[in-house]
Amino acid sequence: MWSVCSKCAPQEPTQSQRCGGQGLHQKDASILFPCSAASRSSLSHHRRIEQIAPPVLLAVDDEENGRLAVDRELRHRYEPDYEVITTGGAEAGLELLGKLAQAGREVIVVLADQRMPGMTGTEFLTRARHVFPASGRILLVSWGDGTSVEAIRQAMCLGQIDDCLLKPAQARDEQFHGAIAHYLEGWAREHGGGFELVKVVGDEGATRSCELCEILARNGVRFGFHAAGSPAGRALLEQAAVVSPALPVVIVFNGSILENPTNSMVAEALGVDIHPRDLLYDIAVIGAGPAGLSAAVYGASEGLVTALLEPEAFGGQASASSKIRNYPGFPHGISGAELAFRTLQQAHFLGVDFIYGNRVTGLRQRGDTYVVTLEDRGELRSRTVIIATGCSYRRLGIPTLEALVGAGVFYWPAIWEARSMRDRDVFVVGGANSAGQAAMHLASCGARVTILSRSSSFAQAMSAYLIDEVENSPAITVRHGVEVIGGRGRGCLESLTLRDRRSGREETVPAQALFALIGTEPHTDWLPANIERDHSGFVLAGADLSPTRWPLARRPLLLETSLPSVFAIGDVRHGSVKRIATAVGEGSTVIRLIHQCLGAD
Ligand SMILES: Cc1cc2nc3c(=O)[nH]c(=O)nc-3n(C[C@H](O)[C@H](O)[C@H](O)COP(=O)(O)OP(=O)(O)OC[C@H]3O[C@@H](n4cnc5c(N)ncnc54)[C@H](O)[C@@H]3O)c2cc1C
């Protein structure tokens, strides 16, 4: 999603196509390169696989008429760009998937009828994830086939399926094709059209190579990774004429060659701004998660001169979410990366100044304005400031469980998922209020809940009333002094390995879901002391401010911090709801407040 300046943009004939065929004038054609799925962090996912054979769309349906209809729709619309394979029988389908994986083929979408003898479509698609974790998995149902909405919802929540569609009823079933096109578009965004804007040559699995690929992918830059020891990697290094290079080496389309560069060096080589312009901005938005992006869109659309500063990836935490199901208007869900990409594009067209790769390190008042200081010691001046730097959820750091995030492993206490946990063995890791509240909610939804807490009691971190409720709930078992050390599942979570911290005894328990609620850390350590925060570091604003910390005669505005004209929105704010839609809403609300501050209302 880095936009590449027109001076640096590649002079390729296919450029207008890459702009989505929007017919942009060359001068404005800062290409917003489509983004990739941020949730995929390993190099193997990012690595471009040179496709000789086209990627596959595979459908499995025992019932002949249904299969023929799917086959006809897919074949007519998508061949020869994609290979369409349809088959009857779940076992045959799994065997085919295995062979495709062995042959190094890519499978973009797997569709399966729910009503197959021997194996339901849901079971089939769960197993398909094991073979092709990145494929879109679509359950096919027919009117009146008895598949309940509840069963579909549960399968989605547990990550067993990505989507559910009615089988095509007639030729040119555009609703069906709309959903298929969504997956094809996502795949194309991730894999690009053959042109690599950036080539990364490095050691496979090396931390910095992985980080760079992750950053490029999350920012939607088309790139290819080439192992330094591979023939392609060696040839690239030879062409670049780098002797004993410091890996990774980044080769940019315009000829720039960078050895072990920082993120901002790569961004600069691509023509992305890392320094603000020398002017007085109306708004400096710090952090480009959903809250910051939304504030930037609303600010710029209302004629305010707006800068948006982001050190890592546009889209924030949300860009790492493979499927957001509760954002209004997207019944089949939308990936965080796609949502971020669309908003970023919007902000770009509305004239927001992006400053990338240059972390904000400080903020101070100078007269009626603010000075925002940057990592490279640069500065930006603005009349108002929006703090939208979010927070991080602590992770368990267990690779087998990381691979199952969204497929039974959750780091985020979503109500929606809880409703699908009836009669399931669900584990909540954590010993604070968020864990207690999640456990109570899961229990009220009919789940069999076990809370795993490393400490010997809840007394330190959970409110007394909640401890009572948790301990008196018949559906909740509490296990103190126990930690999760592993977990497994073929396609979705099936078991956890636990260790008793006192005895060292290990055990494996069946588990269908794990909610790890082990704390959040706000990104606020860079803020000056005169911005009031709570004991965890979240920023206080509006009515939450201590009266003694507010310096003016007028009352603070909603979302305004203890520094007048400095606002806090989204997850970074004390008491925030921690939802994407809420963050986006606050991004719009704050602009109204800024108008008030600037006296424009
Ligand atoms: C695994 C997971 C799944 C989730 N799923 C959902 C879901 O399905 N639905 C939903 O509604 N919510 C979901 N959430 C919650 C949602 O992602 C957050 O509520 C939302 O992203 C908050 O937006 P934000 O803009 O406030 O902060 P963030 O998204 O955290 O963005 C903050 C940005 O600030 C930047 N930043 C930090 N420090 C600095 C600095 N010093 N200088 C400049 N920039 C800085 C960061 O790089 C980041 O890009 C999920 C969260 C997680 C972790």
Side-chain angles (χ1 to χ4, degrees):
M1 286 179 280
W2 284 338
S3 34
V4 177
C5 91
S6 47
K7 285 186 295 228
C8 304
Q11 303 302 304
E12 286 241 317
T14 52
Q15 188 164 308
S16 64
Q17 285 169 312
R18 291 209 180 88
C19 294
Q22 289 159 8
L24 296 172
H25 188 273
Q26 174 70 34
K27 185 169 176 294
D28 325 313
S30 308
I31 304 167
L32 292 168
F33 285 87
C35 57
S36 303
S39 51
R40 303 188 185 138
S41 52
S42 75
L43 262 188
S44 57
H45 286 298
H46 291 315
R47 188 176 350 125
R48 179 187 304 286
I49 296 172
E50 288 306 332
Q51 288 284 318
I52 299 158
V56 174
L57 315 182
L58 184 129
V60 185
D61 190 347
D62 253 72
E63 193 264 309
E64 198 179 351
N65 285 343
R67 186 173 67 248
L68 288 176
V70 173
D71 187 89
R72 180 199 61 224
E73 282 304 288
L74 293 178
R75 231 173 261 287
H76 277 196
R77 189 69 63 102
Y78 305 107
E79 280 192 344
D81 289 340
Y82 303 92
E83 183 176 346
V84 173
I85 304 176
T86 53
T87 181
E91 288 300 341
L94 286 173
E95 204 178 310
L96 252 170
L97 282 174
K99 285 189 179 149
L100 288 165
Q102 265 177 7
R105 297 288 297 276
E106 291 257 334
V107 176
I108 305 181
V109 185
V110 185
L111 304 105
D113 179 38
Q114 174 68 337
R115 301 271 154 207
M116 294 191 287
M119 193 185 300
T120 63
T122 304
E123 282 170 64
F124 176 84
L125 292 171
T126 306
R127 290 176 65 180
R129 185 185 200 264
H130 197 58
V131 191
F132 283 101
S135 304
R137 289 157 307 126
I138 302 175
L139 189 68
L140 292 174
V141 294
S142 316
W143 282 114
D145 74 359
T147 310
S148 75
V149 174
E150 183 53 28
I152 294 168
R153 212 164 53 76
Q154 285 207 359
M156 282 183 179
C157 284
L158 291 169
Q160 294 168 325
I161 64 173
D162 291 310
D163 221 330
C164 179
L165 288 181
L166 280 168
K167 285 188 203 173
Q170 79 280 326
R172 297 185 293 278
D173 185 330
E174 298 308 336
Q175 242 184 352
F176 175 80
H177 287 297
I180 301 289
H182 171 82
Y183 288 94
L184 301 185
E185 194 190 332
W187 188 88
R189 258 190 271 120
E190 182 158 330
H191 290 75
F195 175 72
E196 290 172 1
L197 193 63
V198 171
K199 295 179 196 297
V200 180
V201 185
D203 287 326
E204 199 152 4
T207 309
R208 184 56 190 152
S209 295
C210 290
E211 269 172 18
L212 257 181
C213 292
E214 175 81 23
I215 287 286
L216 289 167
R218 285 183 68 186
N219 283 289
V221 178
R222 288 182 176 168
F223 75 98
F225 174 78
H226 305 270
S230 70
R234 280 199 300 271
L236 282 167
L237 291 176
E238 213 174 288
Q239 272 168 28
V242 278
V243 190
S244 321
L247 295 177
V249 170
V250 170
I251 302 168
V252 183
F253 68 88
N254 58 12
S256 306
I257 295 159
L258 310 166
E259 291 186 41
N260 193 18
T262 60
N263 299 346
S264 47
M265 283 162 75
V266 179
E268 256 190 317
L270 283 165
V272 177
D273 286 332
I274 69 161
H275 306 291
R277 285 191 289 155
D278 184 20
L279 51 79
L280 179 63
Y281 286 94
D282 290 323
I283 313 175
V285 184
I286 303 172
L293 278 169
S294 154
V297 163
Y298 279 94
S301 73
E302 294 183 22
L304 299 168
V305 185
T306 306
L308 179 62
L309 298 102
E310 170 58 49
E312 286 174 18
F314 292 105
Q317 285 175 63
S319 70
S321 198
S322 59
K323 200 71 139 179
I324 297 160
R325 295 199 184 273
N326 63 350
Y327 196 75
F330 296 91
H332 297 283
I334 180 166
S335 79
E338 188 177 347
L339 190 62
F341 169 60
R342 285 166 181 253
T343 321
L344 187 74
Q345 242 185 344
Q346 208 173 352
H348 180 69
F349 291 138
L350 288 166
V352 173
D353 271 8
F354 299 115
I355 296 137
Y356 176 81
N358 210 345
R359 187 173 293 277
V360 173
T361 52
L363 174 66
R364 65 175 191 278
Q365 208 162 2
R366 186 193 289 160
D368 285 347
T369 63
Y370 284 98
V371 177
V372 173
T373 48
L374 305 174
E375 205 167 25
D376 73 346
R377 301 213 170 84
E379 289 185 346
L380 173 151
R381 291 174 307 124
S382 185
R383 299 164 76 196
T384 65
V385 174
I386 299 174
I387 302 164
T389 46
C391 65
S392 308
Y393 287 76
R394 289 196 195 104
R395 312 283 283 215
L396 289 167
I398 300 169
T400 51
L401 291 177
E402 289 301 310
L404 295 171
V405 170
V409 176
F410 305 98
Y411 282 101
W412 182 70
I415 306 292
W416 192 72
E417 270 105 20
R419 284 187 52 208
S420 298
M421 299 299 160
R422 169 175 292 280
D423 296 329
R424 294 179 188 272
D425 293 308
V426 174
F427 289 78
V428 175
V429 180
N433 278 357
S434 56
Q437 279 155 357
M440 287 302 296
H441 184 64
L442 286 159
S444 74
C445 294
R448 292 183 294 274
V449 185
T450 305
I451 305 185
L452 304 172
S453 149
R454 285 160 59 98
S455 60
S456 55
S457 92
F458 288 138
Q460 292 284 315
M462 202 182 284
S463 307
Y465 82 91
L466 200 52
I467 299 177
D468 274 354
E469 283 182 16
V470 162
E471 290 181 345
N472 289 316
S473 167
I476 300 178
T477 307
V478 177
R479 296 188 60 183
H480 286 295
V482 174
E483 62 190 353
V484 179
I485 57 165
R488 300 217 157 273
R490 289 196 313 162
C492 65
L493 183 69
E494 290 168 7
S495 67
L496 290 173
T497 308
L498 312 180
R499 180 167 57 205
D500 186 302
R501 284 161 62 85
R502 276 156 301 196
S503 65
R505 199 174 71 84
E506 293 181 9
E507 64 181 309
T508 298
V509 292
Q512 274 104 47
L514 170 75
F515 290 81
L517 305 173
I518 49 180
T520 47
E521 281 168 17
H523 303 141
T524 51
D525 50 356
W526 58 277
L527 285 173
N530 52 358
I531 291 199
E532 190 183 7
R533 276 156 277 174
D534 67 13
H535 64 277
S536 304
F538 288 90
V539 178
L540 292 162
D544 291 327
L545 288 173
S546 316
T548 50
R549 299 290 300 268
W550 177 248
L552 302 185
R554 72 163 168 88
R555 289 159 69 94
L557 298 169
L558 182 80
L559 306 177
E560 196 170 19
T561 71
S562 52
L563 264 184
S565 302
V566 175
F567 296 82
I569 58 170
D571 281 12
V572 76
R573 191 175 59 76
H574 164 86
S576 68
V577 177
K578 302 202 172 38
R579 295 282 183 283
I580 293 168
T582 322
V584 168
E586 288 184 11
S588 114
T589 307
V590 75
I591 299 305
R592 166 96 195 149
L593 305 171
I594 281 177
H595 279 301
Q596 266 177 266
C597 261
L598 295 176
D601 250 8

